[in-house]
Amino acid sequence: MTTRVAAIDCGTNSIRLLVADLPDADAGPRAPLADVSRRMEIVRLGQGVDRTGRLSDEAIERTRVALASYAEEIGKLGVERVRMCATSASRDASNAADFRGMVQQTLGVAPEVVTGDEEARLSFTGAVRGLPADAREPYLVVDIGGGSTEFVVGTRSGGVQAAISMDIGCVRMTERHLHGDPPSQAEITAAQADIADAVDRALAAVPGREAATLVGLAGSVTTVVAIAQDLQEYDPERIHHARVPYDQVADVTADLLAKTREQRLAIPVMHPGRADVIGAGALVLRVIMERAGMDAVVASEHDILDGIAWSLL
């Protein structure tokens, strides 16, 4: 027996849908979920939030259009349970009630504006459940989003040991520091210092330097890994669980930060909605690896979206 569920993750940069069939609760901890549909739209819900403290009317409308399409698909696929989690932008905005009202009207389900800790735990569950058996524990799972980055340390059997969320997402860092096209060295240096300060505080709160394996989640990480692999098209199967050494991450980061937006758009695996913020996302990943002393990152296509789905079991 399976249960068909829909998970929606509404972040600062993108909104994603997973419709999946969950195995019976007695199937065991290694039983996978079965994808029915995965979708992603770049809606930039958090555009300008770091500066204004508000969600713009245009950003809310972009999100509504994407959500209406998701609601239609959910209805057609016979979903039994739906959960939508909204993350950093919704926590920060003074007009978050407008956003919640829109979601309730469009989807028929209220969004859960999860705390940073809950966001981190969902990400860890989604990432760790499918890791290869030879991935050494404990894990440091980092989920680099648009507005924030979650740091979670734990093991497969013991679950989460410690978690923290820091405001160093790719959209936030781009809007705060990387204004040039390409950004100047002074802008990059300022962003790097800001990120390093946040990462050091995170690693003081969670024992990330004691972890044996770094697992990286979300679009910034998977895009960097796709570029490092020189893929000519985005291939989730090749990216999922790929291991990329620090030197390659550093090279890709430097190259992205040296390119103009138009040059980044020409990269075969680049999503058009990510081209203006990928430099900051790559920089966050590189600094985490440096400060945590990690010689490689394992990418995962399974993340908070899968964790939301599993929470409906």
Side-chain angles (χ1 to χ4, degrees):
M1 295 292 293
T2 61
T3 303
R4 180 158 293 182
V5 302
I8 298 173
D9 170 38
C10 186
T12 304
N13 196 43
S14 63
I15 183 168
R16 299 181 300 149
L17 168 69
L18 168 62
V19 177
D21 290 333
L22 297 182
D24 185 85
D26 296 331
R30 291 189 181 276
L33 55 74
D35 285 18
V36 178
S37 176
R38 281 186 192 258
R39 292 177 57 185
M40 186 271 284
E41 300 288 342
I42 301 287
V43 295
R44 199 61 57 81
L45 177 64
Q47 186 170 14
V49 164
D50 194 50
R51 177 176 53 83
T52 68
R54 290 178 54 83
L55 299 169
S56 72
D57 293 341
E58 295 82 2
I60 291 176
E61 174 60 16
R62 289 194 298 267
T63 307
R64 185 199 67 78
V65 170
L67 195 57
S69 176
Y70 290 177
E72 181 179 4
E73 183 162 0
I74 287 169
K76 289 179 178 177
L77 291 175
V79 167
E80 299 174 50
R81 301 173 192 168
V82 179
R83 185 181 185 191
M84 175 174 171
C85 292
T87 54
S88 179
S90 301
R91 288 198 303 265
D92 298 342
S94 62
N95 61 334
D98 295 341
F99 169 75
R100 290 194 295 271
M102 178 277 290
V103 172
Q104 180 71 56
Q105 184 175 14
T106 305
L107 187 64
V109 173
E112 299 177 45
V113 183
V114 298
T115 66
D117 284 348
E118 173 68 2
E119 188 176 346
R121 283 167 170 76
L122 289 168
S123 295
F124 186 84
T125 299
V128 167
R129 187 149 185 143
L131 276 179
D134 61 355
R136 293 191 299 126
E137 298 179 317
Y139 310 118
L140 169 59
V141 175
V142 294
D143 187 343
I144 302 174
S148 63
T149 293
E150 282 64 58
F151 297 73
V152 199
V153 174
T155 63
R156 197 189 306 267
S157 58
V160 173
Q161 296 173 355
I164 192 169
S165 179
M166 305 300 291
D167 288 339
I168 50 169
C170 60
V171 174
R172 195 185 298 270
M173 290 297 97
T174 300
E175 292 184 350
R176 188 177 293 176
H177 297 292
L178 304 180
H179 305 130
D181 187 25
S184 68
Q185 187 55 55
E187 291 172 344
I188 295 169
T189 299
Q192 182 173 307
D194 197 358
I195 295 165
D197 175 69
V199 171
D200 285 347
R201 286 186 282 118
L203 295 176
V206 303
R209 293 187 177 93
E210 299 172 16
T213 301
L214 174 66
V215 184
L217 315 182
S220 289
V221 174
T222 57
T223 301
V224 167
V225 169
I227 295 170
Q229 292 181 310
D230 198 27
L231 299 184
Q232 294 307 297
E233 61 181 10
Y234 194 91
D235 185 345
E237 290 188 6
R238 290 189 60 185
I239 295 165
H240 190 46
H241 294 160
R243 184 181 185 278
V244 176
Y246 168 80
D247 288 348
Q248 282 189 272
V249 172
D251 288 346
V252 170
T253 301
D255 186 59
L256 288 169
L257 289 169
K259 280 181 161 61
T260 65
R261 181 177 184 276
E262 287 302 313
Q263 289 171 327
R264 293 191 294 273
L265 277 170
I267 298 172
V269 296
M270 186 66 62
H271 189 288
R274 201 174 298 284
D276 56 339
V277 297
I278 185 60
L283 187 60
V284 171
L285 175 60
R286 195 202 78 194
V287 172
I288 289 171
M289 295 180 75
E290 290 168 353
R291 310 304 283 192
M294 293 292 179
D295 61 1
V297 60
V298 176
S300 177
E301 287 280 349
H302 294 179
D303 52 25
I304 187 172
L305 195 59
D306 301 73
I308 295 168
W310 281 114
S311 74
L312 293 168
L313 184 63

